């Protein structure tokens, strides 16, 4: 499997990559761009060369077999997806032959939305008066959804 697919899939949690629409004709290039974009964010990939640590998203831990054979090989795999100064820094640490401990960062399962509203029983309760009004008059003028 192409491990870059993990940079395109999304369940709506904050720690997942943003939702993307991919095209058939440019799929491989788009996956490379998504991988580089994901790795560019410090909350997903961060090198602490002073402590000899590579902090990575938990996605790399959960799907590590798709990226490489072992946690020891994960820094090389991550470097292959990173670009720019982050890749250079990681490759410099790898070339120095210093040990590099992989640290998997906690995953943030909160919704990846700008604004979200928490559902409550009150918000989901049926208003008999509102339902009767809608049945008599058709849909509401402001396109309100009604729980039935």
């Amino acid at each position: 499997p192409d491990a870059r697919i993990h940079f395109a899939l999304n369940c709506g949690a904050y720690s997942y990559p943003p939702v993307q629409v991919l095209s058939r004709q440019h799929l491989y290039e788009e996956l490379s761009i998504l991988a580089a974009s994901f790795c560019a964010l410090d909350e997903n990939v961060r090198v602490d060369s002073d402590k000899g640590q590579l902090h990575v998203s938990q996605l790399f831990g959960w799907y590590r077999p798709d990226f490489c054979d072992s946690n020891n090989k994960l820094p090389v795999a991550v470097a292959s997806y990173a670009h720019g100064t982050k890749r250079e820094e990681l490759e410099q640490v790898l070339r120095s032959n210093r040990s590099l401990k992989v640290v998997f960062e906690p995953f943030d399962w909160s919704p990846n939305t700008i604004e979200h509203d928490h559902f409550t029983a009150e918000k989901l309760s049926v208003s008999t008066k509102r339902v009767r009004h809608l049945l008599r008059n058709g849909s509401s003028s402001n396109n309100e959804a009604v729980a039935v």
Side-chain angles (χ1 to χ4, degrees):
D2 189 330
R4 296 175 302 169
I5 195 67
H6 298 294
F7 304 118
L9 299 176
N10 187 302
C11 76
Y14 184 79
S15 287
Y16 266 95
V19 174
Q20 299 291 326
V21 176
L22 304 174
S23 65
R24 183 180 301 171
Q25 58 271 48
H26 301 292
L27 179 64
Y28 292 103
E29 294 86 358
E30 292 167 348
L31 287 174
S32 292
I33 291 167
L34 291 174
S37 297
F38 185 83
C39 293
L41 298 174
D42 284 342
E43 62 258 24
N44 298 328
V45 175
R46 182 171 49 86
V47 180
D48 186 339
S49 51
D50 293 336
K51 292 183 180 178
Q53 296 177 338
L54 173 62
H55 295 260
V56 295
S57 166
Q58 186 62 46
L59 288 177
F60 287 106
W62 292 332
Y63 303 108
R64 199 247 336 121
D66 293 344
F67 291 104
C68 60
D69 297 342
S70 68
N71 282 353
N72 292 339
K73 294 180 182 177
L74 194 55
V76 173
V78 170
S80 73
Y81 298 115
H83 283 269
T85 56
K86 189 167 289 188
R87 182 178 191 155
E88 291 168 11
E89 182 180 13
L90 183 51
E91 288 178 341
Q92 181 179 359
V93 172
L94 292 170
R95 280 192 305 270
S96 73
N97 289 326
R98 290 180 46 210
S99 63
L100 193 61
K101 179 183 177 188
V102 175
V103 178
F104 296 103
E105 291 298 316
F107 200 81
D108 185 349
W109 286 102
S110 62
N112 188 5
T113 59
I114 294 171
E115 292 181 30
H116 62 278
D117 196 8
H118 297 283
F119 288 109
T120 63
E122 294 79 35
K123 290 179 185 174
L124 294 176
S125 64
V126 176
S127 164
T128 307
K129 183 177 178 181
R130 182 78 181 125
V131 170
R132 281 192 201 122
H133 171 77
L134 289 172
L135 290 173
R136 273 194 312 271
N137 301 318
S139 63
S140 66
S141 60
N142 62 359
N143 294 324
E144 282 184 54
V146 177
V148 186

